[in-house]
């Protein structure tokens, strides 16, 4: 694997938090992942993480995704962003402790959406960081929106936008199941995992996929898939792997084959 | 005091941290200040805080202000930014707990300096926050620099730039002494405080002021003064007050007279 080709690694909120709790970080998993990232020593890398039990409960309680409707939501917007910075801080702490030159980039400080879609993204600091071989770390966030006032930007939309905009070679989606299934593997025992999908096959599947088991304002697996299509269209290879299984992220970063689902344009 | 006129409140690092320690937050002071800000209920406000014993020790240890010279500094840049986000998180936590609709803006995510001076500042999210009556909170930070690679942006430069750019009416500088003295009041028992200074008088004084007692890579009081001159030139009124004394910040936000130093153009 050419280390000069950009990789975007998504770490799912369900991997680093317990979605059945609230503000429940899995600090051992965060440390394990920081170790794997340090060991892989990939230089051209962007990390994006989800919100899990940090961002989602506040966002849902105050209906932040639906936009500004009344003043009572404002403290909810502040809170949603704040708890995401707390989760991000736990990951940054562990990465820096492991001597990974990681630098957090706050999405709400440098981008604005329009009806939930990124429409203004100041990426000068991000590009400067990559040029100096830092590893930028971003996350799903509560952001300002030109039409809605504010909304939720999912980590998945961010992954797709970053990969597309910066011509990434590959996207590694680290989730808490082994790959993409034809039904929700946490509910349906007979759910079958896809090993390889083309963009055409993915489009056909779209709409039939399993729903997430707990609250996820950003749409869970269904949302992830729809978000990644523009990147796949641009020939960026997507690998969905189980980041909860030790060494999977390390191996994927190293370019080794890991059990999972590969999605490619052709 | 017209609450629609923008105020910029600086909270010195020495007020919310113990500069003789390392990563030593004064959480009681942080909570007291959050209470005072909540009670004042000013709507058109930006808060900027310093680094104190969070940002300064890392920045100094790795010579971050002097710019990128060798790879070993990179983890120091990451660390300096990270510890600033930790200090910011403590303040944000307290503000949100007190139901203040505050939102942190990460300087390194939206601006870049050139030889240490802000030269590219994406302030669209910041302006959108003010328009929705959120209180943006920024801080001195480790930032990328077009010439130096990276450097330190002081909270004081940020205060001056924000006030000037957004046509603030006033700047409140909350420090840990009663105002501006003709010598360092922590060293010289006979130091005399100025009650009122014009820009001309300030310029004459520049160069004679007291040096800070402990390490401060951003220059302490001397740096603060030089940084604020462009704002004063633009007729923004500066009040230097002791934010370590209860109710001073509350009163200053309310427009009440507080013991301190007033600096005006005329």
């Amino acid at each position: 694997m050419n280390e000069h080709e950009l990789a975007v690694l998504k770490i799912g909120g369900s991997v680093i938090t317990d979605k059945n709790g609230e503000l429940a970080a899995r600090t051992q998993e965060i440390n394990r992942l920081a170790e794997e990232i340090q060991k892989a020593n990939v230089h051209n890398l962007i990390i994006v993480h989800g919100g899990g039990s940090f961002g989602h409960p506040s966002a849902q309680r105050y209906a932040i995704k639906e936009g500004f409707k009344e003043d009572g939501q404002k403290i909810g917007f502040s809170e949603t962003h704040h708890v995401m910075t707390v989760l991000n801080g736990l990951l940054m702490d562990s990465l820096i402790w492991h001597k990974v030159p990681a630098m957090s980039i706050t999405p709400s400080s440098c981008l604005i959406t329009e009806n939930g879609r990124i429409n203004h993204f100041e990426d000068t600091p991000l590009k400067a960081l990559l040029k100096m071989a830092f590893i930028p770390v971003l996350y799903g966030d509560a952001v300002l929106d030109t039409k809605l006032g504010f909304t939720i930007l999912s980590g998945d939309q961010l992954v797709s936008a970053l990969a597309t905009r910066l011509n990434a070679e590959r996207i590694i989606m680290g989730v808490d199941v082994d790959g993409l299934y034809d039904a929700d593997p946490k509910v349906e025992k007979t759910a079958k995992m896809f090993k390889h999908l083309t963009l055409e096959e993915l489009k056909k599947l779209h709409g039939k996929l399993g729903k997430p088991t707990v609250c996820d304002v950003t749409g869970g697996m269904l949302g992830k898939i729809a978000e990644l299509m523009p990147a796949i269209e641009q020939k960026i290879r997507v690998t969905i792997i189980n980041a909860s299984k030790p060494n999977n992220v390390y191996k994927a970063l190293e370019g080794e084959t890991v059990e999972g689902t590969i999605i490619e344009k052709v």
Side-chain angles (χ1 to χ4, degrees), chain A residues 123-179:
Chain A
D123 60 7
T124 312
L126 177 79
K127 285 178 177 162
L129 284 174
L130 284 173
K131 212 172 155 189
M132 292 184 76
F134 280 100
I135 297 179
V137 181
L138 299 93
Y139 47 88
D141 197 4
V143 299
L144 293 158
D145 188 288
T146 54
K147 297 281 198 268
L148 303 170
F150 49 57
T151 192
I152 295 296
L153 169 70
S154 73
D156 300 311
Q157 186 187 149
L158 202 47
V159 164
S160 191
L162 289 167
T164 309
R165 176 182 284 253
L166 300 170
N167 290 313
E169 189 215 10
R170 56 195 179 123
I171 292 171
I172 301 165
M173 298 291 288
V175 295
D176 69 339
V177 289
D178 287 344

Side-chain angles (χ1 to χ4, degrees), chain A residues 117-246:
Chain A
R117 311 303 304 173
I118 296 171
N119 92 324
H120 181 88
F121 186 175
E122 177 46 65
D123 60 7
T124 312
L126 177 79
K127 285 178 177 162
L129 284 174
L130 284 173
K131 212 172 155 189
M132 292 184 76
F134 280 100
I135 297 179
V137 181
L138 299 93
Y139 47 88
D141 197 4
V143 299
L144 293 158
D145 188 288
T146 54
K147 297 281 198 268
L148 303 170
F150 49 57
T151 192
I152 295 296
L153 169 70
S154 73
D156 300 311
Q157 186 187 149
L158 202 47
V159 164
S160 191
L162 289 167
T164 309
R165 176 182 284 253
L166 300 170
N167 290 313
E169 189 215 10
R170 56 195 179 123
I171 292 171
I172 301 165
M173 298 291 288
V175 295
D176 69 339
V177 289
D178 287 344
L180 181 63
Y181 287 80
D182 62 356
D184 187 340
K186 289 182 177 169
V187 178
E188 310 280 343
K189 292 281 176 220
T190 56
K192 248 183 65 187
M193 195 185 88
F194 300 101
K195 297 222 160 178
H196 187 277
L197 285 172
T198 63
L199 183 57
E200 277 313 302
E201 290 169 332
L202 176 66
K203 283 179 182 169
K204 283 184 196 156
L205 273 171
H206 186 217
K208 302 183 199 166
L209 299 171
K211 300 259 161 44
T213 50
V214 226
C215 87
D216 180 346
V217 292
T218 64
M221 194 63 94
L222 200 69
K224 286 183 211 306
I225 297 306
E227 288 299 354
L228 296 179
M229 285 180 182
I232 303 165
E233 185 65 58
Q234 205 180 292
K235 295 188 174 167
I236 298 164
R237 200 169 67 128
V238 173
T239 319
I240 305 171
I241 61 162
N242 193 335
S244 297
K245 289 191 177 165

Side-chain angles (χ1 to χ4, degrees), chain A residues 6 11 15 31-32 40-41 46 59-60 62 67 81 178 180 194 205 210 217 233-234 244 248 252 259:
Chain A
L6 179 67
I11 302 176
V15 176
N31 274 316
R32 177 183 57 75
N41 199 22
I46 295 175
Q60 204 170 54
Y62 291 94
H81 168 64
D178 287 344
L180 181 63
F194 300 101
L205 273 171
V217 292
E233 185 65 58
Q234 205 180 292
S244 297
N248 273 359
E259 186 194 9

Side-chain angles (χ1 to χ4, degrees), chain A residues 48-73:
Chain A
V48 176
H49 65 81
S53 68
F54 281 69
H56 291 298
S58 295
Q60 204 170 54
R61 192 153 49 236
Y62 291 94
I64 303 303
K65 194 182 161 91
E66 290 68 34
F68 174 73
K69 272 150 199 154
E70 45 98 13
D71 272 349
Q73 287 175 294

Side-chain angles (χ1 to χ4, degrees), chain A residues 3-124:
Chain A
E3 73 171 25
H4 297 291
E5 298 284 356
L6 179 67
V8 180
L9 168 67
K10 167 85 195 288
I11 302 176
S14 53
V15 176
I16 53 174
T17 76
D18 177 357
K19 282 204 171 187
N20 294 306
E22 191 168 340
L23 303 180
R26 297 192 204 271
T27 50
Q28 280 190 317
E29 293 297 284
I30 290 172
N31 274 316
R32 177 183 57 75
L33 288 165
E35 254 179 65
E36 292 186 27
I37 290 161
Q38 185 267 323
K39 199 169 65 166
N41 199 22
V42 178
H43 290 299
N44 208 352
L45 175 67
I46 295 175
I47 299 172
V48 176
H49 65 81
S53 68
F54 281 69
H56 291 298
S58 295
Q60 204 170 54
R61 192 153 49 236
Y62 291 94
I64 303 303
K65 194 182 161 91
E66 290 68 34
F68 174 73
K69 272 150 199 154
E70 45 98 13
D71 272 349
Q73 287 175 294
K74 282 174 61 187
I75 196 71
F77 178 72
S78 294
E79 187 181 293
T80 306
H81 168 64
H82 176 58
V83 294
M84 283 308 302
T85 69
V86 174
L87 177 59
N88 177 252
L90 294 174
L91 178 60
M92 298 313 296
D93 216 53
S94 188
L95 286 169
I96 293 168
W97 178 260
H98 286 94
K99 302 289 176 209
V100 176
M103 182 83 180
S104 61
I105 289 277
T106 308
S108 51
S109 294
C110 60
L111 68 82
I112 283 203
T113 56
E114 181 170 321
N115 280 321
R117 311 303 304 173
I118 296 171
N119 92 324
H120 181 88
F121 186 175
E122 177 46 65
D123 60 7
T124 312

